[in-house]
Amino acid sequence: MSGKNDALLEFRDVVKTYGQGQTAFQALCGVDLRIAPGEFLAVMGPSGSGKSTAMNILGCLDAPTSGAYLFQGVHVERLDRNQRALLRRHYLGFVFQGFNLLSRTSAQENVELPLLYRGEPAAQRHAAARQALARVGLSGWETHTSAELSGGQQQRVAIARAIVTQPLVLLADEPTGNLDSTRSHEIMELLVRLNREQGITVLMVTHEADMSAYAQRIVHFVDGMVESDAAQPERETQ
Amino acid sequence: MYLNAILLALREIRRNLMRSFLTILGIVIGVAAVITMVTLGNGATRMVSEQISSLGSNLLILRPGQRMGPAAFGSAAFRVSDADAIRTQIWALRGVAPTVSRSAPLVAGNENWSSSVTGSTNEYFTIGNWQFASGRPFSDEEQQSGRAVCIIGETVRNKLFGRQNPVGAQIRVKNFSCPVVGLLVAKGQGAMGMDQDDMVLIPLKAAQRRLIGKPQDVTVILLSMRDGVDSSQVMTQIRRLMRERRKLAESEDDNFTIMDTRQIAETLSSTVGTMTTLLGAVAAVSLLVGGIGIMNIMLVSVTERTREIGIRLAIGALEHEVLLQFLIEAVALSMLGGILGIVLAFAACLVLSSVTQMPFDFDPGINLVSFFFSAAIGVLFGYMPARRAARLDPIEALRHE
Ligand SMILES: Nc1ncnc2c1ncn2[C@@H]1O[C@H](COP(=O)(O)OP(=O)(O)OP(=O)(O)O)[C@@H](O)[C@H]1O
Ligand SMILES: [Mg+2]
């Protein structure tokens, strides 16, 4: 569906092996995947099928064992730790399955963190963080620490932290994994808005068909391989 | 970037107040203990050496009886002629002061006090390094006739006359009254802790007749040597002379003792020095224990911090940025601990030295050494676990439980 040269992210025969020798386990067994700019893609599949593994590699948090991962044509697997960190810093926003917020730290400070590493001045950091929190519906919760927030609120702080830098790509690993359906739909609406209004490419792992319905394209993983990869018709949001 | 790292480090310290406090506490106690012990030890050493010099230089003390036995009992006292013989026969001596003393009640006006009354000659003052605050030494006439006049120390003045000048006033000593002709400059505590200024001096003859009732007896002879003479040689000469005069047979032990105050002083100050070293060693152990405490706290917090490091790396922090933050955090905590330790030690030394009346010798060396040692421990154990964590892949660090 996308041309040879306009892929934003591209997997070429990516293999990821955990462990060595006898206990070695292949979590990804030669995955090919092309993602165009501005896409909203859902990744589905049974537990242990390698979804998180693929997301971590796409998010430049992990390196493939073999094969190539191209980010805007750049071979990520050839970059060193620091170069990958800089890719994360400037182009990627990652929403972790387990939130991964700093404990004993206010929502505001958590959201400001990526901007701090980008070296943005304090005034801009504060404003941007406040705005991002407002976008996820958390105005007025800035000074609350993670422990003082509900699961859904923490999830939204994590999303705010991922979008505060206006990343090129937003990767979300089961962003609605432990939320009730109302909250889940709210978050999906937000992701769709970000995708449509700001042109942010969104990659999302989910187990629920309800959620994947928001995506333009669904990739199914089974046993470390892409089993199906299909576009689906645009869906109207309320 | 440095500003960022400092900001992050300070935030982290504030956020983990308890952990920061415990880390600092170990350093504070260790540093304070080492500095206090060594400073007080130095003060004690200096106090001893000051007292040594106040005793008078090259001083020998000759007394009847054996060194360890009950001083005067059993052995005959010296005679005035013994002192004269020593004076004329041993050229290496500069001064010879025969003395007798006895504790006696003192009364002046409505005040009374009991003090040690010593009879001696004017040589007593030169041998003992005594200076006159007011008044004069004994006149030749007073010394020869044994007139009852007295020269008093600061403590006696204080007890009997307050701040008034005692010269010209009368003191009743035991059952005779004598005018005060001189006041001595205070010397303070002696090496054994006794008050050197609590004393009254009267002419030797007056003491022998009116206080002791034995006109020829001399109990202690103070001797000062000329500069540069060998004290052990002088002591041998005196010993030979005294054995001869006291008619001791070859087989008999000495029934008198010669002490070299410098030797006593040196023994004393080297004992104090040993004590100081020992205390310092104990304190160093406490610094080490403090260091181990810091290490523990740092290691315990590694789980939490590893996840924190994983989050920072995942968000786009570079390895060296994270490390810089942790390094600054460790340095800041250690330095704060070190500074607080020094302040605490300073306060403790001030209090303790005023309580024990020891001089307070601020020693920059020990302050620096213990400060840098604690800083090094803090930095090492704050930084090393962080370095290990920052080398992990972000995903591994995040998975750390
Ligand atoms: N660090 C690791 N060491 C060893 N094996 C691993 C590691 N991480 C993942 N695996 C294995 O790789 C396989 C794929 O894991 P992955 O986390 O990608 O699954 P997933 O599709 O995200 O599953 P879920 O839906 O349960 O999150 C699993 O069988 C898992 O056991
Ligand atoms: Mg997963």
Side-chain angles (χ1 to χ4, degrees):
Chain A
M1 64 178 280
S2 37
K4 182 83 186 154
N5 295 316
D6 57 6
L8 176 63
L9 313 173
E10 184 177 353
F11 267 14
R12 287 184 192 157
D13 193 25
V14 165
V15 172
K16 179 68 186 180
T17 310
Y18 288 115
Q20 274 158 359
Q22 293 257 296
T23 59
F25 178 84
Q26 236 182 33
L28 294 179
C29 330
V31 174
D32 287 296
L33 196 61
R34 294 167 62 80
I35 297 158
E39 263 192 293
F40 190 144
L41 179 136
V43 178
M44 300 193 74
S47 185
S49 56
K51 306 183 295 293
S52 293
T53 307
M55 286 293 269
N56 291 340
I57 295 173
L58 284 164
C60 302
L61 293 167
D62 214 350
T65 310
S66 74
Y69 170 34
L70 286 84
F71 185 100
Q72 290 189 308
V74 175
H75 280 270
V76 175
E77 77 279 2
R78 294 180 196 158
L79 302 180
D80 65 22
R81 290 165 54 76
N82 280 339
Q83 288 168 320
R84 274 188 280 137
L86 289 173
L87 266 185
R88 292 196 293 272
R89 175 186 292 187
H90 290 291
Y91 300 109
L92 302 174
F94 208 102
V95 183
F96 296 94
Q97 204 167 341
F99 316 148
N100 279 331
L101 299 178
L102 289 184
S103 53
R104 277 167 290 167
T105 305
S106 70
Q108 172 86 16
E109 280 179 279
N110 262 299
V111 175
E112 274 185 33
L113 207 58
L115 297 175
L116 207 97
Y117 286 116
R118 282 187 172 199
E120 302 224 348
Q124 261 162 270
R125 277 202 317 263
H126 299 328
R130 221 164 289 128
Q131 204 191 334
L133 282 168
R135 293 211 67 171
V136 297
L138 282 178
S139 288
W141 296 87
E142 286 88 352
T143 55
H144 290 67
T145 66
S146 319
E148 298 163 353
L149 295 172
S150 73
Q153 288 166 331
Q154 291 183 48
Q155 183 81 77
R156 284 183 283 162
V157 173
I159 294 169
R161 186 179 62 186
I163 64 174
V164 73
T165 56
Q166 316 255 4
L168 197 59
V169 183
L170 178 65
L171 301 109
D173 195 351
E174 303 198 34
T176 61
N178 28 21
L179 297 185
D180 64 74
S181 75
T182 324
R183 284 269 181 246
S184 303
H185 285 289
E186 273 174 31
I187 281 175
M188 282 308 126
E189 299 290 344
L190 174 66
L191 295 187
V192 169
R193 263 203 323 278
L194 289 169
N195 176 247
R196 294 220 182 126
E197 291 166 18
Q198 284 173 259
I200 295 177
T201 305
V202 179
L203 311 185
M204 170 187 79
V205 174
T206 182
H207 281 292
E208 299 159 78
D210 265 14
M211 302 301 124
S212 64
Y214 285 91
Q216 303 159 352
R217 176 182 165 198
I218 299 178
V219 175
H220 264 275
F221 274 71
V222 173
D223 290 339
M225 281 182 285
V226 177
E227 187 214 41
S228 75
D229 181 349
Q232 60 175 359
E234 292 275 314
R235 154 195 166 129
E236 285 309 313
T237 50
Q238 300 89 324
Chain B
M1 178 185 134
Y2 287 98
L3 213 68
N4 265 349
I6 290 171
L7 186 76
L8 284 168
L10 293 184
R11 267 191 203 172
E12 215 45 47
I13 290 173
R14 207 188 52 207
R15 188 165 298 137
N16 301 291
L17 273 183
M18 197 52 180
R19 188 178 65 206
S20 308
F21 171 74
L22 289 175
T23 310
I24 288 180
L25 193 68
I27 297 180
V28 170
I29 290 175
V31 169
V34 173
I35 296 178
T36 308
M37 301 256 184
V38 173
T39 306
L40 288 182
N42 286 346
T45 312
R46 185 157 75 100
M47 182 168 77
V48 168
S49 63
E50 270 169 11
Q51 283 163 355
I52 292 158
S53 63
S54 84
L55 267 181
S57 50
N58 301 340
L59 182 67
L60 299 181
I61 299 173
L62 178 60
R63 54 165 70 228
Q66 237 126 33
R67 169 159 265 181
M68 295 304 169
F73 303 107
S75 310
F78 301 112
R79 322 242 82 200
V80 176
S81 57
D82 289 328
D84 292 338
I86 292 171
R87 199 196 320 268
T88 49
Q89 292 185 28
I90 298 171
W91 67 271
L93 295 174
R94 181 189 292 153
V96 176
T99 69
V100 289
S101 28
R102 176 159 296 180
S103 174
L106 309 173
V107 181
N110 292 327
E111 308 292 332
N112 61 68
W113 180 244
S114 175
S115 179
S116 151
V117 179
T118 301
S120 189
T121 62
N122 276 337
E123 275 177 284
Y124 183 91
F125 305 114
T126 47
I127 291 171
N129 264 349
W130 288 100
Q131 307 292 323
F132 280 79
S134 71
R136 56 169 176 85
F138 303 124
S139 69
D140 289 347
E141 194 270 326
E142 283 159 353
Q143 297 207 59
Q144 273 150 30
S145 68
R147 272 254 299 281
V149 291
C150 62
I151 293 168
I152 63 176
E154 179 60 36
T155 306
V156 173
R157 190 271 283 256
N158 214 357
K159 296 290 179 189
L160 297 181
F161 303 101
R163 305 302 312 158
Q164 284 171 318
N165 187 350
V167 175
Q170 293 280 333
I171 294 182
R172 240 193 122 61
V173 179
K174 206 171 147 197
N175 53 9
F176 58 96
S177 114
C178 58
V180 179
V181 298
L183 172 67
L184 298 171
V185 172
K187 272 195 188 180
Q189 255 179 33
M192 310 298 181
M194 78 286 188
D195 183 358
Q196 300 182 89
D197 302 315
D198 188 5
M199 54 92 116
V200 173
L201 223 83
I202 61 175
L204 179 65
K205 279 196 174 132
Q208 289 170 326
R209 266 190 246 136
R210 304 195 185 199
L211 203 62
I212 318 280
K214 293 175 181 163
Q216 284 306 313
D217 276 16
V218 169
T219 32
V220 175
I221 302 176
L222 302 178
L223 308 154
S224 74
M225 292 176 288
R226 290 179 203 281
D227 287 331
V229 299
D230 177 4
S231 67
S232 61
Q233 220 172 338
V234 177
M235 282 162 79
T236 321
Q237 287 172 15
I238 295 171
R239 182 165 169 249
R240 198 179 299 137
L241 177 64
M242 290 318 291
R243 283 186 70 88
E244 192 182 301
R245 290 187 64 84
R246 287 163 85 86
K247 303 196 170 55
L248 294 176
E250 201 69 34
S251 60
E252 281 177 290
D253 284 336
D254 291 354
N255 58 5
F256 58 90
T257 312
I258 310 169
M259 289 189 298
D260 182 348
T261 52
R262 176 183 286 170
Q263 240 168 44
I264 300 171
E266 272 164 11
T267 317
L268 209 62
S269 69
S270 87
T271 309
V272 173
T274 314
M275 286 280 286
T276 306
T277 316
L278 212 71
L279 287 179
V282 170
V285 169
S286 79
L287 185 58
L288 202 71
V289 171
I292 292 169
I294 296 163
M295 186 175 76
N296 268 325
I297 291 161
M298 293 292 190
L299 286 179
V300 164
S301 66
V302 148
T303 304
E304 182 188 324
R305 309 227 78 181
T306 302
R307 261 176 55 79
E308 179 196 329
I309 288 170
I311 293 171
R312 291 180 186 283
L313 291 174
I315 277 170
L318 299 176
E319 187 181 321
H320 71 261
E321 287 171 332
V322 173
L323 284 182
L324 189 65
Q325 176 202 328
F326 276 73
L327 187 64
I328 290 172
E329 200 182 315
V331 169
L333 284 180
S334 311
M335 299 238 291
L336 189 62
I339 289 168
L340 286 180
I342 288 175
V343 170
L344 188 67
F346 199 84
C349 287
L350 276 184
V351 170
L352 288 175
S353 66
S354 82
V355 166
T356 58
Q357 301 197 316
M358 285 198 302
F360 177 17
D361 276 354
F362 180 79
D363 181 347
I366 190 65
N367 279 276
L368 279 179
V369 165
S370 50
F371 179 82
F372 281 113
F373 180 73
S374 68
I377 287 180
V379 169
L380 196 69
F381 293 121
Y383 181 70
M384 294 307 279
R387 198 177 70 149
R388 218 174 41 202
R391 289 216 169 134
L392 297 174
D393 270 332
I395 276 300
E396 262 176 86
L398 282 174
R399 207 177 275 133
H400 194 92
E401 285 304 327

